[in-house]
Structures are given as structure tokens and as C-alpha cells.
Amino acid sequence: MKDALIAIDQGTTGTTVLVLDRQLRLLGRSYREIPQHYPQPGWVSHDPESIWSSVLDGCREALENANREASQVAGIGLTNQRETSLFWERSSGRPLGPAIVWQCRRSAEIAERWRNENGDDIYQRTGLVADAYFSASKIAWWLENHPEHREAARNGEIAFGTVDCFLLQRLCGVHRMEISNASRTMLFNLKGHWDETLLDRFGIPAAILPEVVESVGHLGTVKAEWLGCEIPVMGIAGDQQAALFGQACFQPGEGKNTYGTGCFLMMQCGDRPVLSKHKLLSTIAWKIGGKISYGLEGSVFSAGSAVQWLRDGLGLLMKASESEEMARQVESSEGVVFVPAFTGLGAPYWDSQARGALFGVTRGSGRAHVVRAVLESVAFQVRDVVEAMASDLGSRPVRLKVDGGMSANNWLMQFQADQLGVTVERPKVVESTAFGAAALAALGLGWLSRPEELLSLREVDREFAPQTCDPAGYALWKRAVERSLAWL
Ligand code: ADP
């Protein structure tokens, strides 16, 4: 009986594969790291073959750990690191070089030129702020630096793909890209099409592009040679979109925040894109049954990394989790404010010249005040993004669903709820990304008849209801940010 599904989460640092049953309960899993390559300062690449082997071997290992055969698997769900760009020879599938990872800055000059020339128009079309982060400038860089491939690219002998597209090519032998992934290329408009004006302007031939498919449905069939029998791919979404789905954020105003190294916030906007006045990204969340849902996105660069810095840089903590107890040791941070602008500030400031700072220190400030100020800074940054989203949407969010390693910190989650004035909800399974891919596939398989059914399969670990909040803390934070901006 086909009573299991596989969810693949091909992330930046590694690949997680889950095997789940019809109720989306975990049967087995695997995790494989993938090597990171830094060929020059600011450049990041992955070997396409190591991405592929981590997925294939990961699927085999997870099945073994779940004690299941491939013949028992009804379908596959896939989620992936977004924007990362690959090129291959269409006839053989042979990669033409390393994958250019989303973090890679090699195309920064090209993106900056575009932003200066047509930034507003690009934003209106794609919802994205022209930056090296997105695929388009990576493609342009690649064509500029490989003149020998330009002709072949125009003739359709070369294929471009994001990671979902590359994996569909390898697994199923089709050149297709899922729509939420396409919406991160900066070549795809919010109406849901490849944008001919942008392709033209950027000098990117349409012949390299894949067919774009919806997020749910029979999106390809995994060849029998890989896992022992054919398996349909039934759901795909980019990682943050998959997490939004996995957190069951289906109503406008429902949002999720992933607390990891940085924070990734996404808010459900419903069936109309919301263009931001606060430098947030507007993006396609998914397309199901012919209907596009849109999201508003904001990223904070430093969150868990600030706690890592307390541990490894300053030696104030032995483990990240100690920060919770230490924050509780004091009544307040007593005026100490920390701005974690280690690498500048992300949304809504977008200032790469900002640098970190500690303000309000007195002779009475101790270790616990500093640790508490660092945790508070994470919540303040999230509040900045949520306030920007609320202003763009014209209403406050109804609830924030959280996940990621740092969401385990109960003190921080309560402080976050107090700051936002909305309930913070933490699910039992904090791997929302992989869970979201599983849920999309379950919908494709008909195991869920509509997305909302996910609400009954998802278990909530804890809710943090907002309590009183002294407005002075956030006001001090805003002052501190002002002084950290444009530091360099
Ligand atoms: P990523 O996926 O970005 O690597 P994770 O979701 O694994 O990140 O989260 C790990 C991050 O969260 C680390 O930066 C760590 O410092 C922080 N972290 C983990 N547990 C806690 C905790 N209980 N309190 C505060 N920070 C924590």
C-alpha cells in the first residue's frame, strides 16, 4: 500500500529528507551536509553533483530509517534554497559550472547598475529590490563571463534552473520550475509570467528558461532508476514559501517567522500582491488550482548569530540556550540596547554601512543586561519588519507563527508577543519548511482535500499571549538604530 510520502528540503547548508505517513507523522529522516565553496571573497558556490547526491542518497537513507520501500511512497514534496542558479547542457543534463548560491555577491555590480537605472520598474514588475541575491544578475554575470556559451544559450542548447528545476531535471528528466521559485528569479512578474521586457533589458535569452508549473499537482515523475520505482512529484515551493504553507498561514494577515541565524518573516497577503512602501519584498507564495497567493517578505540578517557571538565572540554563554535563564535574572536591561548590525541591517533599513553597537552602558551594567539586550534586539528587529508589514497591509497581523532553532527560547517568544501585541504560536514540529513540502504533496495526492485541513494535522506546542509592554524599550531601540546607520 502506498501510505507514505517523501519530503525533500534542499537547503543552503544541507539536505533534510523526511518520510511521513498519511497524517504527516514522521516515520524516518536523514540529513546530509553539502560543502560550501568560497572561490573569492564574497563568492559562494555549490557543486551541483553534491546537491544531487545529497538528495538521492538522502532519500534512500530516509526510506531505510523509516523502514519503507520506495514502492510504498505515494508521492514526493520538494522545497529548496531559493535564487541559487545553475546551468546545464540541455542534451546531456551536464552542469556547465558550479551553482551560484543566493548569498554570492559576484554579480553585485550588475545588480547595482540595474537598480540605479530601473530599480522602481523592476520592483513594480517583480516585487523584488534589484540585488545580486536574485537569479537574474547571476545569469547575466554568467553569460557575460562565458562568451563561449552565449550562442548556445540563444539556440536553446543551454538550460538555466533554480535548485527545484535542477532536481526536477535530474529526477524526472523535465525542464520545469515551480512558480514561487520562478518569482525569485527577478525575471518573472507578479502577474505570473516570464517578463519579456526584463529579459530583453537584461539580455537574457528566453530559450534558456524552463516551463513554469503550479506548486501542487503532478509536476514530474521520478525515474525508476533512482529509487527503484517511479514516484510522482506532487508539490514544490521555495523554502520560505513552504514554511508559510507548513505553518498553515492561509488567511491574509497570518504570518510566520523563522528564527535561525537570521530571521525570515513572511506574511500571507491573499490573492493580490502588496507592493511595499517600506522596502519589503512582494512575492508569489504559491499557485494552487489556478489561483496565485501572494506573500510579503522581510529578512533580518542577524538573530541567532548574535547569540552565537555572545557565546563564541565574548564567551558570555556556554550554550545558546543559557541566554533564556540569564535574561530572566534581571528585571529589565536597565537601558542597555544592542544593535546587531554585524553585516549591516536588513529589512526595513537595508543599510550595508550600519555596524553593531551597544548603547546605554553604565558601571552597573552586567552580563545579564547585555545578554538580555541581545535577545531584545532580535524581537525589536522582528517588530520593525512586522510594523512595516502592518503599514503596507493596512492592518496588524492576527498572529505570528514561529519556527527555527531560536524559537525554543520561551523568554524571547513571550517578549516578542508583548512587543507585537499579537499571539505568538509555536508548533510542535519546528521544521516547518520540510513539513510544508510534505503538506503540498499531501494536497496534491488528495490526502488533504484543501489546505485548511492542515490545521487539524498541525500540533501547537505553545501559545504566547501578549501581556503589557513598556513602550520605552522600543523607543530606545529606534534611537539606537538611528545612530548605527551609515556608520562606515
Ligand atoms: P540555521 O538554520 O540558520 O542554521 P537554526 O534554526 O538551527 O539556524 O537555529 C540556530 C540558531 O539559533 C543559532 O544561531 C543559535 O545561536 C540560536 N539558538 C538556538 N537555541 C537557542 C536558544 N534556546 N536561545 C537563543 N538562541 C538560540
Side-chain angles (χ1 to χ4, degrees), residues 13 258-262 303-308 311 320-324 375 403-410 412:
T13 49
T258 303
Y259 294 83
T261 308
S305 56
V307 177
Q308 275 169 5
R311 189 191 60 192
S321 56
E322 275 177 20
S323 59
E324 175 164 353
L375 291 184
D403 51 61
M406 205 180 185
S407 69
N409 190 311
N410 293 320
L412 176 62

Side-chain angles (χ1 to χ4, degrees), residues 27 110 159 196 202-203 248 259 271 335 344 404 478:
L27 299 172
I110 300 175
E196 281 171 27
F202 300 157
Y259 294 83
D271 55 11
K478 296 295 264 185

Side-chain angles (χ1 to χ4, degrees), residues 139-155:
I139 304 174
W141 180 93
W142 189 83
L143 288 171
E144 230 170 68
N145 288 275
H146 294 89
E148 74 278 18
H149 290 151
R150 277 186 219 149
E151 175 80 15
R154 273 194 297 273
N155 294 341

